[in-house]
Amino acid sequence: MKMKLSVAVLAGAGILSSASVWAQNAQAVAEAQATAEPVAVVVTGVRRAAQSAQTIKRNSDEVIDSIVAEEAGKFPDKNVAEILGRVTGVQVRRQGGEASDVIIRGLPGLTTLLNGREVYTSTNRNLNLTDIPTSMLQRVDVYKSQGAEMVEGGTAGVIDVRTARPFDFKGFSASLTGRAENRDKADSNDPQVSGMMSNRWKNDLGEFGALFGVSYQKGHYFDEVTWNSPPDSTVTNGTNKPNAAVTGPLDLGHSNTTGMRERYSANWAFQYKPVRDVELYAEGWSTRIDHDRETQFFIGNLGWGPTTQYTLIPGTNQVDTVTSSGNPSALSSNQAPRDDSETHQGAIGAKWNVSPDLRVSTEFVRTTSRWKQDMPIMEMFAHPTTVTGQTYVNGGARFDYPGYNMLDPNNYTLGNFIDNWQASGGQSKDWRADATYNNGEDNFFREFSVGVRVAKRSSRYEHESGNFLGADPKLNLPAVSSLAGLTCPSAPMDNNYGMAQWLVICGNYQHANIDAWRKLYGRNGKTAPDPYSLYTNNEDTSALYGKTRFGFNAGSVPVEGTLGVRVVKTKLDVNGFSRVTINNEDVAVPVNKKSSDTDVLPNLTLKANLTDTLIGRFNAGKTIQRPAFGDFNPGISLGATIGGDGVYGGSGGNPDLKPVTGKNADAALEWYFAPTGSLTATVFKHKFENYIIRSAALETFDGKQYRMDRPRNVNEGQLEGIEIGYRQFYDFLPGWLGGFGMEANYTYMKGHFIDKGKEAPFQGMSKNAVNIVGLYERGAWSGRLAYNYRSKFVDTFDYRTLRAPVGPLDLIVDPIETVDASISYKINENMGVTLDVENLTDRKYQDYHGIESNPRDIRRYDRVIGLTVRWKL
């Protein structure tokens, strides 16, 4: 009975399929079996998914957490990034209509794989996980440690996204999903549809399998933001109440983003077994994303001067309320980016069980990706005479203009025009071959694996030159009210922060009239690329690994483990341009930087089966994380507008960056007291060398000071913490109460890096993170209520260098709480319906300048109600 249950669980997880076994290489999946006594419960959707995920974790050599589909294409979230927000030690942000910015154990140094293969977006190292709809997924594995056979990269961890294959099914299978979403702040109703069809059959030529899936998602969204500029001590200069210790913002503002995203995805797979021990396969995946949005800024300068009146937040020297009639300026700015991106990956491969003890495999993969963006920014000036503001109202800024109509086009004049565009692309080819020899379970060394991988990757990037076109009086620009169709009311603020709407230049007008607008500002057509932005990177890697699986008895305790090493040689060829001044003129001088590094990455795992239900683990290894391709760019980008502190903005790359190396150790104790019941704890410690941060420093070009943002290596860093996970279905409860279950996890993290001899916090790392998911499944009904919490974290380290007494500031984000819920009803064996609500409690995102009495902004996002109908055969 135990073995039958185990096989059912593994089949549901998809890890008994030959292709998946191959993808996991030396992992002893075939040995996996549930050891707890089964109870008399029908193992269906929610339970089966939980049981499968638990089995994967239990039988893995590495420290891993998985989320498995309840059935083909059925996950509780819409994309991979949202799914990962439920995983122990993983944190995400949600903005722009969906989850994004995935980090593992507080760090961004992760690698994304698709079916065990390296995959990425354009010039980035990783795939944008929001680009993968859950409709095509079988499961998602999050590795906190790495085996020697895995593609190198990921000092924080590895996310392996696995899609379904035809041999995962017994025969013909098909599914179709339709979904309608309502978003409250965007006031939209959007469709989503996906489908999958798979079949496997036999004839005289062997066994065949074919699968094809498609997905379409459309989503509008609205993000509301109100903000304060950084505190500055100059706000009291020249006022009737001078006080050098008082600080306050120079500007208050709103920044609302409306957007619409369309995502088209497809995946396909073919498998062929001419004989029992040989399999040939080909599979691929494609996605296209069209993303149009408008970020409608309003910047209200407080016009500090002799007539300005202000009060302080009680008990502080921070400005609270402001009334100013000293000619306060106001700016309306509409950023209207339109993004277009595509990514394609195809793979062909074969595996051969040469004998009962020897299996070999090989695979060739090609990936291409491109991205482009056109982002005109058109601005208008307003000319109010009085402004009233309050810097801290419900976490944000409130301001208004008494007696001035911000919806009247006659109250505006044309402002600056920023003509932005950028484009990037990349492609790669990689080939690998692996062999595994089974030496017998009675020997100390039970299995040997070796493999080789060769990969070639190239990337390119460029953006516009001379993007800033100022509102020069010599241009004799027309009146705003004279241009038909020019202006639109901004999206209204959903909450009360004073001025609720203002005029912006319509986003559609910007794109439809872009060439005419350029001519209006004295430019003919689109500008050529900025030579300092141009770069091409070519990276060649060659990797060789060896690994053995061993086992022995320590007294009465069976112990098994793996020992492996991966040796990787990386050749990098970076080409760009550097800014050099010759005879008082700036000249773009070509730069070529070639480097070659060899990294040796050992890995050790130990797993002790202390009892039938209790497992102890120890994992240790070395990992690397290569910098993003864009970080190597030797060029610079200099801003044309000056900041409130009299310094221009700029950014650049660093061709001398070194890869981050991590030395990681994990120790775990795992108690599996039921097929869907476990309590686990993992203690981890990571040490880093050459950790990469972005920081600002003042540099001088053409006699002007620029705050240049560049990546650089710091000497060392470390991270330590503990993860605790719990899962159980309460089948022992009587009647309908036996349908309840719970998944909960908690992560504590503590870490820092050393910068210039001082400890500094990791960006994005919350010390505490909690997930609690209440589950229910009985008969035709199932449901979940999911709560997610993360404590405060540093968004940007030392992001502004301000005058005394303020000094350097970190941008800190308040704790974030999210609640989602869903309920499903299975109409019959082939059809079901789900109602879900995302952002049930109308969460808010709030950050502040160093201390809580200096808020930067507060952000609110859509509440999403979705109705999904699923059909399967």
Side-chain angles (χ1 to χ4, degrees):
M1 180 62 179
K2 294 181 181 179
M3 181 59 72
K4 289 181 180 179
L5 178 61
S6 175
V7 171
V9 169
L10 292 173
I15 55 178
L16 280 187
S17 72
S18 55
S20 295
V21 171
W22 171 85
Q24 297 189 58
N25 283 294
Q27 198 123 286
V29 182
E31 296 180 356
Q33 55 179 325
T35 57
E37 289 295 333
V39 295
V41 175
V42 178
V43 183
T44 57
V46 177
R47 277 182 174 82
R48 181 170 58 192
Q51 196 171 17
S52 300
Q54 179 170 302
T55 303
I56 293 170
K57 180 178 180 68
R58 178 173 185 167
N59 292 286
S60 174
D61 294 323
E62 307 302 332
V63 178
I64 184 176
D65 286 287
S66 298
I67 296 183
V68 178
E70 296 172 19
E71 55 190 53
K74 184 182 178 183
F75 277 91
D77 300 283
K78 296 186 298 298
N79 65 54
V80 174
E82 292 182 354
I83 291 173
L84 291 170
R86 321 285 186 207
V87 175
T88 308
V90 178
Q91 297 163 339
V92 302
R93 291 195 193 185
R94 299 191 186 193
Q95 60 185 10
E98 57 191 14
S100 60
D101 298 336
V102 179
I103 59 176
I104 299 177
R105 290 176 173 173
L107 299 177
L110 58 90
T111 291
T112 54
L113 305 178
L114 183 64
N115 294 315
R117 309 178 189 107
E118 187 178 28
V119 65
Y120 56 86
T121 301
S122 190
T123 58
N124 294 323
R125 288 285 181 188
N126 296 317
L127 177 68
N128 185 346
L129 292 168
T130 60
D131 290 349
I132 306 178
T134 58
S135 58
M136 63 176 57
L137 299 185
Q138 180 197 70
R139 74 178 194 271
V140 181
D141 297 331
V142 179
Y143 289 89
K144 281 51 173 304
S145 66
Q146 300 173 44
E149 77 282 7
M150 297 174 65
V151 177
E152 69 279 353
T155 50
V158 175
I159 297 172
D160 191 1
V161 178
R162 296 194 171 272
T163 59
R165 290 160 173 162
F167 284 1
D168 295 337
F169 305 94
K170 293 181 178 180
F172 179 79
S173 179
S175 63
L176 182 65
T177 301
R179 176 181 170 87
E181 280 189 350
N182 173 268
R183 295 173 180 260
D184 63 343
K185 295 178 180 61
D187 191 23
S188 66
N189 294 289
D190 297 310
Q192 299 178 7
V193 63
S194 62
M196 184 273 295
M197 184 177 295
S198 177
N199 197 13
R200 62 188 295 180
W201 65 94
K202 290 182 178 180
N203 59 30
D204 293 341
L205 297 177
E207 185 173 10
F208 297 83
L211 178 148
F212 183 69
V214 293
S215 173
Y216 170 76
Q217 295 180 349
K218 181 178 181 180
H220 291 80
Y221 61 89
F222 175 70
D223 295 352
E224 176 185 280
V225 181
T226 184
W227 54 269
N228 290 265
S229 67
D232 200 293
S233 60
T234 63
V235 296
T236 57
N237 288 355
T239 70
N240 59 351
K241 295 183 179 180
N243 185 340
V246 170
T247 62
L250 296 172
D251 306 299
L252 305 179
H254 299 327
S255 173
N256 292 340
T257 298
T258 63
M260 191 276 288
R261 183 186 291 106
E262 288 186 289
R263 180 177 284 115
Y264 308 83
S265 301
N267 67 309
W268 54 270
F270 298 99
Q271 291 175 278
Y272 170 50
K273 295 182 72 173
V275 293
R276 185 182 62 179
D277 294 322
V278 175
E279 181 183 320
L280 307 175
Y281 63 89
E283 64 182 341
W285 166 81
S286 296
T287 186
R288 177 190 171 97
I289 302 97
D290 294 325
H291 187 189
D292 299 344
R293 63 189 185 275
E294 295 181 32
T295 300
Q296 301 167 342
F297 276 96
F298 189 92
I299 303 174
N301 183 270
L302 292 176
W304 289 91
T307 62
T308 303
Q309 301 291 323
Y310 67 88
T311 64
L312 301 180
I313 298 173
T316 76
N317 284 327
Q318 316 301 319
V319 170
D320 182 14
T321 65
V322 178
T323 299
S324 179
S325 56
N327 193 29
S329 61
L331 172 71
S332 166
S333 176
N334 195 6
Q335 300 182 1
R338 291 189 174 176
D339 293 27
D340 179 17
S341 64
E342 286 186 17
T343 302
H344 308 274
Q345 185 177 81
I348 57 173
K351 64 175 189 174
W352 177 25
N353 294 329
V354 182
S355 70
D357 298 321
L358 177 64
R359 62 181 186 269
V360 297
S361 61
T362 185
E363 182 178 77
F364 175 79
V365 184
R366 178 171 171 79
T367 307
T368 62
S369 184
R370 67 164 185 84
W371 172 78
K372 68 175 183 177
Q373 181 190 79
D374 292 305
M375 190 179 72
I377 303 174
M378 297 183 183
E379 299 180 341
M380 298 185 294
F381 297 116
H383 308 279
T385 58
T386 302
V387 62
T388 62
Q390 187 170 2
T391 63
Y392 194 89
V393 177
N394 195 18
R398 189 185 193 281
F399 58 97
D400 216 333
Y401 297 91
Y404 198 84
N405 184 1
M406 283 295 178
L407 292 175
D408 184 353
N410 293 300
N411 285 338
Y412 290 87
T413 56
L414 292 183
N416 304 316
F417 170 42
I418 300 95
D419 191 7
N420 297 314
W421 65 264
Q422 54 184 322
S424 63
Q427 61 180 6
S428 70
K429 297 181 236 181
D430 68 78
W431 168 82
R432 65 178 296 170
D434 303 82
T436 299
Y437 177 72
N438 181 5
N439 196 41
E441 295 300 306
D442 294 331
N443 296 309
F444 179 83
F445 293 109
R446 299 175 178 179
E447 191 173 78
F448 299 96
S449 300
V450 294
V452 62
R453 178 176 181 264
V454 178
K456 292 181 177 291
R457 182 175 172 190
S458 63
S459 67
R460 62 190 182 278
Y461 173 83
E462 62 185 9
H463 67 64
E464 80 295 322
S465 60
N467 62 339
F468 183 83
L469 298 171
D472 192 324
K474 297 178 182 179
L475 293 173
N476 195 26
L477 296 172
V480 169
S481 58
S482 69
L483 298 174
L486 175 68
T487 59
C488 295
S490 71
M493 301 290 290
D494 192 64
N495 293 272
N496 183 9
Y497 289 105
M499 183 192 67
Q501 279 186 288
W502 61 98
L503 284 187
V504 296
I505 298 179
C506 306
N508 289 335
Y509 183 96
Q510 295 192 38
H511 288 277
N513 299 277
I514 187 68
D515 286 330
W517 202 261
R518 288 166 175 154
K519 192 171 184 179
L520 186 68
Y521 279 77
R523 169 174 291 168
N524 289 319
K526 187 176 180 178
T527 64
D530 182 347
Y532 302 111
S533 74
L534 288 166
Y535 73 81
T536 58
N537 286 0
N538 296 292
E539 183 179 84
D540 296 346
T541 59
S542 303
L544 176 68
Y545 79 87
K547 179 177 179 179
T548 183
R549 185 170 62 86
F550 59 86
F552 59 92
N553 289 330
S556 61
V557 177
V559 178
E560 56 186 313
T562 64
L563 177 65
V565 63
R566 188 176 186 90
V567 181
V568 185
K569 184 174 184 178
T570 305
K571 294 182 178 180
L572 188 66
D573 185 356
V574 181
N575 295 275
F577 293 87
S578 181
R579 186 186 182 103
V580 177
T581 302
I582 301 176
N583 296 327
N584 295 322
E585 291 187 6
D586 292 331
V587 178
V589 177
V591 175
N592 174 255
K593 174 77 174 182
K594 292 184 177 180
S595 62
S596 179
D597 298 294
T598 300
D599 296 285
V600 180
L601 309 174
N603 174 267
L604 170 68
T605 74
L606 290 171
K607 182 167 64 173
N609 296 296
L610 303 174
T611 70
D612 287 345
T613 60
L614 188 64
I615 293 175
R617 293 183 188 273
F618 176 77
N619 289 51
K622 182 179 178 181
T623 58
I624 61 169
Q625 183 70 36
R626 301 185 184 100
F629 280 104
D631 287 345
F632 288 114
N633 183 12
I636 59 174
S637 178
L638 300 179
T641 56
I642 197 168
D645 55 1
V647 179
Y648 291 84
S651 62
N654 182 354
D656 296 319
L657 284 176
K658 299 177 182 178
V660 183
T661 60
K663 296 177 181 178
N664 310 331
D666 293 77
L669 192 62
E670 302 169 357
W671 179 31
Y672 298 97
F673 52 82
T676 51
S678 62
L679 180 62
T680 64
T682 304
V683 178
F684 56 87
K685 186 167 186 177
H686 298 188
K687 290 187 176 181
F688 303 101
E689 296 179 0
N690 300 318
Y691 192 80
I692 296 174
I693 65 169
R694 294 196 71 95
S695 62
L698 295 179
E699 300 181 31
T700 301
F701 300 96
D702 298 333
K704 300 177 183 177
Q705 271 199 322
Y706 290 83
R707 183 181 293 105
M708 295 294 294
D709 180 66
R710 296 182 186 268
R712 60 186 173 89
N713 293 110
V714 296
N715 290 336
E716 60 181 288
Q718 68 176 36
L719 173 73
E720 56 191 16
I722 184 171
E723 298 172 339
I724 300 173
Y726 165 74
R727 172 187 287 124
Q728 186 174 12
F729 269 89
Y730 305 112
D731 305 313
F732 52 85
L733 294 176
W736 61 272
L737 294 174
F740 282 104
M742 177 181 288
E743 294 180 350
N745 57 71
Y746 166 73
T747 306
Y748 171 80
M749 292 164 284
K750 179 181 179 182
H752 63 268
F753 60 88
I754 306 296
D755 183 33
K756 300 175 183 177
K758 297 181 179 179
E759 292 186 2
F762 288 120
Q763 295 176 210
M765 186 195 74
S766 296
K767 282 190 176 181
N768 299 282
V770 176
N771 285 296
I772 302 174
V773 183
L775 303 170
Y776 188 81
E777 183 178 52
R778 188 170 182 85
W781 292 95
S782 64
R784 69 181 65 229
L785 180 65
Y787 169 80
N788 174 271
Y789 168 85
R790 61 182 300 189
S791 61
K792 68 179 182 179
F793 59 92
V794 174
D795 176 270
T796 307
F797 165 68
D798 199 11
Y799 89 114
R800 289 297 298 267
T801 303
L802 299 168
R803 299 179 180 90
V806 180
L809 291 174
D810 296 339
L811 183 62
I812 300 173
V813 180
D814 267 347
I816 299 174
E817 295 179 286
T818 301
V819 179
D820 303 325
S822 68
I823 185 169
S824 298
Y825 179 72
K826 192 172 183 180
I827 299 171
N828 54 44
E829 289 300 315
N830 302 108
M831 184 171 291
V833 61
T834 298
L835 177 68
D836 60 81
V837 182
E838 177 192 319
N839 190 19
L840 190 64
T841 56
D842 195 20
R843 73 181 178 277
K844 61 183 180 181
Y845 175 107
Q846 188 169 341
D847 53 18
Y848 51 89
H849 304 286
I851 59 175
E852 293 184 18
S853 57
N854 275 323
R856 184 178 82 159
D857 61 37
I858 184 168
R859 312 176 194 180
R860 288 187 168 89
Y861 308 107
D862 288 298
R863 178 183 288 116
V864 184
I865 300 176
L867 181 64
T868 304
V869 177
R870 292 183 175 90
W871 171 85
K872 67 172 185 176
L873 184 64

